[in-house]
Amino acid sequence: MSTISDKVTKAVITTQARVRDGVDRLTEQPESGLDDAAWKAIWITVGGAAAIAIATFIFTWGQGYITSRLNGF
């Protein structure tokens, strides 16, 4: 029983070390893009919010325009 537990523990530790080494290698290279990932996420979020706001404005304006034209009949 303890050999299975030891093997699982060793596999988990080895996997964690490999993942940690991989992340360290990626963050060492500035062209990897991970050093400014937070800023990219902020710009994507702001851009998405702006796109939703613009689409909402256009939809609201269009709906008001159509409603005003239909009320003239």
Side-chain angles (χ1 to χ4, degrees):
M1 184 74 159
S2 69
T3 58
I4 294 174
S5 175
D6 292 341
K7 287 181 181 182
V8 169
T9 304
K10 181 180 176 181
V12 167
I13 291 172
T14 304
T15 304
Q16 286 177 344
R18 286 182 181 173
V19 168
R20 198 173 306 123
D21 289 342
V23 170
D24 288 343
R25 261 187 286 124
L26 284 175
T27 55
E28 286 173 359
Q29 301 169 357
E31 64 272 3
S32 68
L34 289 178
D35 53 346
D36 61 346
W39 283 108
K40 287 179 183 176
I42 290 170
W43 283 114
I44 289 171
T45 304
V46 169
I52 291 171
I54 291 169
T56 303
F57 173 76
I58 291 171
F59 177 76
T60 304
W61 176 82
Q63 186 177 13
Y65 180 78
I66 292 171
T67 302
S68 69
R69 291 292 181 178
L70 291 177
N71 286 338
F73 285 117

